[in-house]
Structures are given as structure tokens and as C-alpha cells.
Amino acid sequence: MTHGVGEVARMLDVPASTLRYYESKGLLPALSRSAGGRRQFSDADVKACRVIGCLKESGLSIKRIKGFMDMVVEGDRTLEGRLELFRDRRDALREEIEQLQDTLAILEFKCWYYETAVEAGTEDAVRGMRVDQIPPAHRKAKAALGGR
């Protein structure tokens, strides 16, 4: 079964221009066209677009995604290279998530801090708190800030 660019754009929730861009960069080498020149996406092309989107969301450049797609075309002899690419992206994303979790913890602490100050009518109510008076969930974030 084939799909038009508009249909695939709706399926993937991306602009049709994104799919045209992918093709122009050589990311969809097997994409066929109708007799009238319209792009025809196979189910495999749609799947490839999903992988391209995933790699793009993971922070991979279009150039590196093109390298991955070239490896796919080359076949089984590139399996180890493809595995390495996905492991690298996974590890980078795990590190980014960890950093974002640390940032979120600080934001959560600061929300608690200012909510408590607003409720008390003064920042002095929280500024002078001992560590054991701070909710356990916020102690690590407070320590990361090194002060206020």
C-alpha cells in the first residue's frame, strides 16, 4: 500500500515540507513517484520516516542520519555500525535525561521554596530553615544550589 505526502504527514504529525526535506537530503532513497510525479510512500518508507524522526529528536544531525540511512541500504555488513549509532544515541539521551531530572529537581525545590515563602509572607521563613526542616525530596536540590 502507498500513501501520499499529505497522508504521511498527518500520520507522523509533521509538516509535508519535512518529508520533502528528508527526500531532498537523500534520507529516503527508495521513495517512488507516481506517473504524475507525486511522492508515493510505502509502509517501509513510513517506518523509515519514524526512525528518522526518532534519530532527529535524539539530537542526531541530518548528516549523521544520512549516514545511518546509507548503512541501511548497504545491508547486513553495517549492522554493527548501526547498533553502535543507536547505543551512542541511547547513552547520550540517558545522560541528557539525567541532567534534565537534576534541573527539574531544582525547579521543584524553588517552587516549594517560594510557595512556602508566599504562604508565610516572607522569604525569611524558608531562608533560615535547617536542612532537616526541608522536605527530604528537596534536600539534594538545595545542596546542589549550595545555598539559597
Side-chain angles (χ1 to χ4, degrees):
M1 176 176 204
T2 62
H3 313 276
V5 69
E7 181 184 359
V8 175
R10 284 187 297 279
M11 290 167 64
L12 302 178
D13 195 27
V14 298
S17 60
T18 296
L19 300 173
R20 291 185 199 100
Y21 178 73
Y22 289 170
E23 182 191 21
S24 75
K25 293 298 181 182
L27 304 181
L28 299 167
L31 194 64
S32 64
R33 293 190 179 252
S34 69
R38 294 184 180 267
R39 290 168 184 85
Q40 294 180 313
F41 291 78
S42 67
D43 291 338
D45 294 324
V46 173
K47 181 179 174 185
C49 287
R50 289 185 199 283
V51 172
I52 292 166
C54 172
L55 290 171
K56 192 172 151 195
E57 282 291 315
S58 79
L60 205 62
S61 69
I62 293 296
K63 182 178 179 178
R64 293 210 43 217
I65 295 171
K66 169 75 167 97
F68 167 74
M69 297 306 289
D70 289 345
M71 284 192 281
V72 170
V73 170
E74 289 179 41
D76 286 349
R77 67 185 186 89
T78 65
L79 286 173
E80 287 183 17
R82 289 183 267 167
L83 174 59
E84 182 180 342
L85 182 137
F86 276 91
R87 283 180 173 161
D88 287 348
R89 292 315 314 143
R90 178 197 61 198
D91 294 347
L93 206 54
R94 282 181 176 161
E95 186 175 314
E96 186 177 337
I97 288 168
E98 186 176 315
Q99 290 169 355
L100 287 170
Q101 287 172 329
D102 291 345
T103 300
L104 179 60
I106 290 170
L107 293 173
E108 293 285 0
F109 165 70
K110 288 309 235 178
C111 285
W112 169 83
Y113 179 96
Y114 287 110
E115 287 165 358
T116 304
V118 166
E119 188 176 302
T122 179
E123 194 174 355
D124 290 338
V126 268
R127 188 179 291 140
M129 281 187 175
R130 295 183 320 269
V131 173
D132 65 331
Q133 293 174 305
I134 295 171
H138 298 305
R139 291 177 188 164
K140 183 178 174 187
K142 172 146 179 25
L145 292 173
R148 282 190 264 268

